[in-house]
Amino acid sequence: MNKILCMAIAMAIMMLSAPLTGLANDGQAAPAEEAQVAGEATDAPKAGPAIPTELTQAVQQQVGAAIQTQQEQVAPEAVAEQPQAPLQESEQAAAAIPALAQTTGTVVNAVQEVMAPTPPPPAEPREEAAAGPVYLDSMPSDEVTAEIADSSKPEPVNPDILLTELIDEYQTSGMGRVFLEKMDRQELFYTTATAIVNVKSNRKNWVDHRVEAYREAILDAQAQYIEFLSSSIGATVKKTLIEDNQLPQFTDEEIANPSKVKSLVDKLVALGGTYLDNKLEEMGVDPKEYDAAPPSKKKLLMMKAIQQETITRSMAELSGVVPVKSFEAHDKDGNYKVAVAIVASPKFRSFAKEVLESRENVKPNARKVGGPSVRAQILGDKKALLQEFGIRRIYDQDGYPVLVSYGQSGMGYAGDNYQKKELYRQASFDHAESQAKANYALLMNAYGHTSSQTLESSVVKDVAKVTLRDGEEVPSEEFSTDMIKSEIQKIEVHGSIKSFPGIRELYRWTITHPENGQEVNGVVYAWSPRSAALAQEMKKTPEQKAAKAPAQPKHEGSAGGNVSKDVMSPNDF
């Protein structure tokens, strides 16, 4: 047992002495190491201090004490059970190793604490000299302020992008989503079209240009519907290739023997030219700037062209096509762009035909009874009239259908003459009335046709040029690639109604546009079976009235305050 224990202790002493090799040499560092340490920077990490003799003696004492303790614990057991010494010595040695390892670990920790480099003392705070404000950025303060101001400016608004966002919002969260769903189920036709206002909002006739932009958008949307119903399409594609590698040439007569007539003409021209040159020189102008260019000839050496021509023609009935929504977007510079959404369906087309044929005999819709009055629906928000164009169908408080038509126009006069201003204002109302009335004909009995011719051509050419200079022919070449596009488009819509009673003016308004302060004049017209019946009644003679049966009593409804910009429901189609 003592033999094995001594072997374990010897191994522990070797483990302890191994890290100390080369570090302790009678407490002195090697001269070479001293020279290396002296040449290092002051802030480099230093090696641990040399192990003093006292530490070595303390380690030996702790190891000796550990050996003695192990002997005292093992000796009695070894004397009592001598026959089993080989086996017991092995087991006891194995049991003594953990205790020895614990003691050895304690010694090693003590040595490491002594050998650890001493941390430098904390630096004393230094007093800095007083100085001005320190900027984290090297940019001067005025430039920093300007940069912050520029970054805080809002990005310019693009009317195209804003208008697209408005349409997308309507088609994803508004009634437009329902229209798209019904179109996907093949129940109706829905589309949108856009147009730009041709002038900025600071022009005095901007209001009329804005109205024309809405009219253009509606017309383009109607053209899409016409082409959807019926289209005749013709297309032609052709390729042309020309090649001739011979350069243009001057004849010998053209080079050396010009004609006598030409010679005489040249002399006359030269005589006049000399006189003019002298006059130009007197005025300080160089006559050479007006010298004629030398004669030259051109010839096509090679050409390749790919061309496509497409012709589309469409014709269809437009009855029952109605705009359901209008959009408008603009930037800070006064550039405006507008859009409209239109809907057509067999159901609404039948309604338009019924109105045209039955007129005052159109029946009410029982499900629409009890709603707000027509005036409450239209005039609840008068400023919203600026955004209304075209014709809509709503229902009155008794469930009768009402066709409401809008028209507006600019005044075009900004002077102070009262009489002149009133004349222009009346003319403006006349134009608004014409628009509102035309909407009825375009809804109930309209036909349209479109035609478009487009040409696209890609042309590659190589042209040779020969210039005659002092009797010598100087050749050159011109190579070009061109993309040619042309388009001719026509859209025509015709509508007409005859002897149609009951159209009346519902409201006349004048609003100053909030964007530019220009005056906008507009009208709202309305038709309903009741107004048609009243018109028919008023046309009758007294004798006809006497022969007529008593009329049914009219029901008076109360005015409401519910107003919706989405007047027409998708269920109407």
Side-chain angles (χ1 to χ4, degrees):
M1 172 60 191
N2 292 336
K3 183 179 179 181
I4 297 174
L5 184 60
C6 291
M7 293 176 60
I9 293 173
M11 293 175 61
I13 293 173
M14 292 176 62
M15 292 172 59
L16 287 171
S17 60
L20 305 179
T21 304
L23 294 177
N25 186 10
D26 294 336
Q28 302 295 330
E33 294 177 352
E34 290 181 356
Q36 183 177 359
V37 172
E40 292 179 353
T42 57
D43 56 351
K46 297 181 179 180
I51 301 179
T53 306
E54 293 81 358
L55 179 59
T56 306
Q57 295 175 356
V59 172
Q60 294 175 356
Q61 291 176 1
Q62 292 190 24
V63 172
I67 294 173
Q68 185 178 357
T69 302
Q70 296 297 331
Q71 289 177 350
E72 293 175 352
Q73 294 176 355
V74 176
E77 298 175 358
V79 175
E81 299 179 1
Q82 187 66 29
Q84 299 178 0
L87 179 60
Q88 291 177 352
E89 287 179 356
S90 301
E91 294 176 354
Q92 291 171 357
I97 288 175
L100 180 61
Q102 182 177 2
T103 304
T104 305
T106 304
V107 176
V108 171
N109 292 338
V111 173
Q112 290 179 348
E113 290 179 359
V114 175
M115 296 295 295
T118 304
E124 297 181 357
R126 295 181 299 175
E127 295 183 359
E128 297 182 357
V134 179
Y135 294 99
L136 297 179
D137 199 323
S138 60
M139 186 180 296
S141 59
D142 55 347
E143 296 184 11
V144 174
T145 304
E147 185 174 347
I148 293 175
D150 292 339
S151 62
S152 62
K153 293 180 180 178
E155 296 184 359
V157 177
N158 188 329
D160 296 326
I161 298 177
L162 181 56
L163 193 66
T164 302
E165 292 176 352
L166 293 175
I167 297 174
D168 289 344
E169 181 180 0
Y170 175 71
Q171 294 180 163
T172 55
S173 59
M175 286 190 178
R177 179 180 60 85
V178 183
F179 286 132
L180 287 176
E181 292 174 354
K182 293 174 80 69
M183 184 174 68
D184 293 340
R185 296 196 299 265
Q186 314 303 322
E187 297 178 7
L188 54 78
F189 175 86
Y190 168 87
T191 191
T192 61
T194 64
I196 62 170
V197 181
N198 293 327
V199 299
K200 293 186 176 182
S201 59
N202 57 0
R203 293 281 296 272
K204 70 175 184 178
N205 56 352
W206 171 81
V207 174
D208 292 326
H209 282 282
R210 176 174 172 265
V211 173
E212 292 301 320
Y214 274 105
R215 183 179 290 120
E216 178 184 357
I218 293 175
L219 192 62
D220 288 342
Q222 290 174 333
Q224 295 181 45
Y225 175 67
I226 294 171
E227 294 173 357
F228 169 74
L229 294 181
S230 176
S231 292
S232 300
I233 304 172
T236 303
V237 182
K238 61 182 179 181
K239 176 181 178 180
T240 304
L241 180 64
I242 299 175
E243 184 179 7
D244 185 354
N245 62 358
Q246 187 172 0
L247 296 176
Q249 297 178 351
F250 287 93
T251 63
D252 295 338
E253 184 179 358
E254 289 174 333
I255 297 175
N257 299 317
S259 64
K260 294 182 179 180
V261 176
K262 184 177 183 302
S263 176
L264 179 60
V265 172
D266 290 343
K267 291 178 181 179
L268 292 174
V269 172
L271 178 62
T274 302
Y275 175 79
L276 293 175
D277 288 348
N278 294 333
K279 291 297 182 180
L280 290 173
E281 289 177 352
E282 293 177 1
M283 299 172 61
V285 179
D286 187 4
K288 293 182 180 180
E289 297 180 1
Y290 299 92
D291 288 347
S296 62
K297 286 186 176 183
K298 290 185 177 183
K299 183 180 178 181
L300 182 65
L301 297 181
M302 187 274 295
M303 184 190 74
K304 184 184 74 171
I306 305 295
Q307 178 177 302
Q308 176 173 323
E309 183 181 19
T310 305
I311 300 176
T312 304
R313 293 184 177 89
S314 302
M315 180 178 294
E317 183 181 0
L318 281 173
S319 301
V321 180
V322 60
V324 294
K325 194 75 171 178
S326 60
F327 310 87
E328 186 174 286
H330 63 91
D331 59 16
K332 62 181 182 62
D333 297 325
N335 297 304
Y336 274 72
K337 190 172 185 178
V338 303
V340 295
I342 68 167
V343 176
S345 68
K347 180 179 178 181
F348 202 80
R349 179 186 175 188
S350 299
F351 166 76
K353 290 296 183 181
E354 181 185 6
V355 169
L356 182 63
E357 297 172 0
S358 301
R359 304 184 182 187
E360 68 272 15
N361 297 319
V362 175
K363 303 301 180 181
N365 188 336
R367 293 178 298 175
K368 302 295 183 178
V369 176
S373 67
V374 174
R375 291 189 181 274
Q377 296 179 62
I378 302 303
L379 307 180
D381 184 6
K382 295 180 181 179
K383 291 184 178 180
L385 294 173
L386 283 171
Q387 310 302 328
E388 299 294 344
F389 294 87
I391 193 169
R392 309 283 194 275
R393 183 185 70 176
I394 63 175
Y395 290 88
D396 64 13
Q397 64 274 13
D398 296 324
Y400 282 94
V402 180
L403 294 176
V404 181
S405 182
Y406 301 91
Q408 58 180 269
S409 177
M411 188 173 66
Y413 176 75
D416 298 328
N417 188 303
Y418 176 77
Q419 286 76 15
K420 191 174 183 180
K421 182 182 294 185
E422 285 300 315
L423 290 175
Y424 276 94
R425 181 176 289 124
Q426 183 58 47
S428 176
F429 276 114
D430 292 341
H431 287 286
E433 292 172 5
S434 297
Q435 295 174 25
K437 294 174 182 178
N439 291 332
Y440 290 102
L442 296 176
L443 172 68
M444 290 179 282
N445 187 30
Y447 294 85
H449 62 87
T450 67
S451 64
S452 66
Q453 180 179 359
T454 60
L455 178 66
E456 297 181 6
S457 180
S458 176
V459 181
V460 179
K461 292 189 297 184
D462 188 11
V463 179
K465 180 180 179 181
V466 176
T467 304
L468 187 62
R469 298 181 183 274
D470 301 328
E472 297 290 335
E473 296 181 355
V474 180
S476 63
E477 290 188 16
E478 298 176 356
F479 187 82
S480 62
T481 302
D482 298 315
M483 185 67 193
I484 302 172
K485 289 185 175 182
S486 64
E487 179 182 8
I488 301 175
Q489 185 184 54
K490 294 182 179 180
I491 305 173
E492 293 185 15
V493 176
H494 303 274
S496 63
I497 51 177
K498 296 180 179 180
S499 303
F500 189 76
I503 299 176
R504 62 186 178 90
E505 182 179 306
L506 181 67
Y507 185 67
R508 178 177 292 236
W509 52 270
T510 297
I511 299 176
T512 300
H513 200 281
E515 298 297 333
N516 52 21
Q518 295 187 20
E519 180 179 310
V520 185
N521 301 300
V523 295
V524 181
Y525 272 58
W527 177 92
S528 70
R530 283 181 165 181
S531 63
L534 177 61
Q536 294 288 60
E537 181 68 19
M538 297 183 67
K539 288 192 301 182
K540 293 180 179 179
T541 62
E543 292 78 9
Q544 291 175 328
K545 291 182 180 181
K548 181 184 175 183
Q552 296 180 356
K554 296 182 180 180
H555 300 281
E556 297 293 335
S558 59
N562 298 326
V563 178
S564 174
K565 293 183 180 179
D566 293 317
V567 176
M568 300 189 65
S569 169
N571 295 328
D572 294 336
F573 299 91

